[in-house]
Amino acid sequence: MAIKILTPAEIDGMRVVGRLAAETLLHVADHLEVGMTTQDIDDLVHKHTIASGCTPATLGYRGFPKSVCTSINEVVCHGIPDKTKLRDGDIVNIDVTSIFPAKNGFFGDTSATFYIGGVSPMGRHVTEVARWSLELGIAAVRPGARLNDIGHAIQAYAEGKGCSVVRDYTGHGIHRVFHDEPSVLHYGRLGPSPKLKAGMCFTIEPMINLGGYQVDVLADKWTVVTSDRTLSAQFEHTIVVTETGCEVLTARPRALRWSEDAAGARLGPLSCFTPAP
């Protein structure tokens, strides 16, 4: 497995695109409301991405028809925006990937799951488990650690909370290439696997299901749903390994509306150094 080590100049490029992708996700969060369609979300993402000097990475990628993925309730990932309206009680994952510079640039990939109106206790549970799964995965990243440490930390926590971790989709290396080595499993045992080194850059993006971990792909060949049609939630950041730990390149300067702000009153500030509830 050949894992690219980014140069300082390349990491600077990833910082820029990570910040721009984070700003787009914040922009969408500020405009979410009950009754808007997932196509409305796509329009917001597309316009903001272009205005920031970026290109939406998913548009046309392997034939994907939209500028963002919108995954509601039992949809695990790769939901295609359309005329579907957000209903009170929905949870929706919004997955943004930007390219900067717009041509032949770096990729910044981030997502979050949002509460739409009054969400059920089970909806809140799977979403918060997914949020903290990402935090604990990030906390496992440091030079000399093993790649499998990330997945082990996530699986141990999520299953301890009565949820499951999707096996079919993983995090991935990212830089001027959208999907590169390594594949970052969100499950697994401690043991031999590549050692993390400063300059490695990848996403961590655990998909957490309320029921079983099995998934189905719908007839559109993109939309992934839980096989048992239970709820699923996901959070994602792009990170780079540093000499002392890691840097979250898609970190946000403020809490996400409809997501982190709703969690904050109960959980407090999100930090990989804060014990998971």
Side-chain angles (χ1 to χ4, degrees):
M1 179 189 296
I3 302 175
K4 180 176 173 63
I5 303 296
L6 272 59
T7 66
E10 289 172 324
I11 293 171
D12 284 343
M14 290 297 295
R15 285 192 182 102
V16 173
V17 73
R19 174 179 56 80
L20 293 171
E23 288 174 357
T24 294
L25 192 59
L26 281 165
H27 174 74
V28 175
D30 290 343
H31 290 82
L32 284 179
E33 60 183 7
V34 174
M36 73 187 303
T37 68
T38 52
Q39 181 58 52
D40 292 333
I41 296 173
D42 188 77
D43 292 341
L44 285 168
V45 168
H46 186 87
K47 291 176 182 177
H48 192 274
T49 301
I50 298 300
S52 66
C54 299
T55 296
T58 59
L59 184 60
Y61 181 74
R62 297 181 179 177
F64 192 80
K66 299 291 181 175
S67 296
V68 68
C69 298
T70 52
S71 302
I72 302 174
N73 295 334
E74 75 277 7
V75 180
V76 175
C77 61
H78 303 161
I80 301 173
D82 57 17
K83 295 181 180 180
T84 302
K85 291 184 177 181
L86 299 180
R87 301 170 301 173
D88 183 75
D90 283 342
I91 58 173
V92 57
N93 177 267
I94 299 173
D95 192 345
V96 170
T97 310
S98 301
I99 308 172
F100 185 85
K103 292 185 178 180
N104 303 316
F106 295 94
F107 289 75
D109 197 359
T110 186
S111 84
T113 297
F114 296 87
Y115 298 124
I116 305 301
V119 174
S120 71
M122 289 295 95
R124 290 188 62 87
H125 180 69
V126 71
T127 300
E128 297 310 320
V129 170
R131 187 194 311 280
W132 280 100
S133 292
L134 173 59
E135 290 284 319
L136 293 170
I138 292 171
V141 178
R142 64 186 183 280
R146 297 283 184 176
L147 190 63
N148 283 358
D149 295 352
I150 299 169
H152 176 76
I154 291 168
Q155 183 180 14
Y157 173 68
E159 291 184 353
K161 293 296 183 179
C163 296
S164 65
V165 183
V166 171
R167 307 304 204 251
D168 295 59
Y169 300 91
T170 70
H172 52 87
I174 189 170
H175 40 90
R176 287 188 186 272
V177 176
F178 195 171
H179 296 93
D180 199 5
E181 296 292 349
S183 292
V184 182
L185 302 182
H186 302 120
Y187 64 95
R189 298 179 179 178
L190 295 174
S193 58
K195 280 189 177 182
L196 301 180
K197 299 178 181 179
M200 290 181 177
C201 189
F202 48 82
T203 68
I204 303 176
E205 47 185 298
M207 302 169 197
I208 306 300
N209 294 350
L210 196 58
Y213 64 77
Q214 297 85 356
V215 299
D216 299 323
V217 181
L218 299 185
D220 61 23
K221 299 183 179 180
W222 280 107
T223 306
V224 180
V225 299
T226 54
S227 294
D228 56 14
R229 301 307 190 265
T230 54
L231 296 173
S232 184
Q234 180 192 18
F235 288 83
E236 175 184 14
H237 273 309
T238 298
I239 67 102
V240 64
V241 183
T242 67
E243 295 292 345
T244 57
C246 70
E247 178 182 348
V248 179
L249 299 170
T250 47
R252 296 174 288 271
R254 58 184 173 87
L256 284 168
R257 181 173 175 263
W258 295 83
S259 183
E260 290 166 343
D261 63 344
R266 183 165 62 87
L267 298 179
L270 293 179
S271 166
C272 58
F273 302 107
T274 302

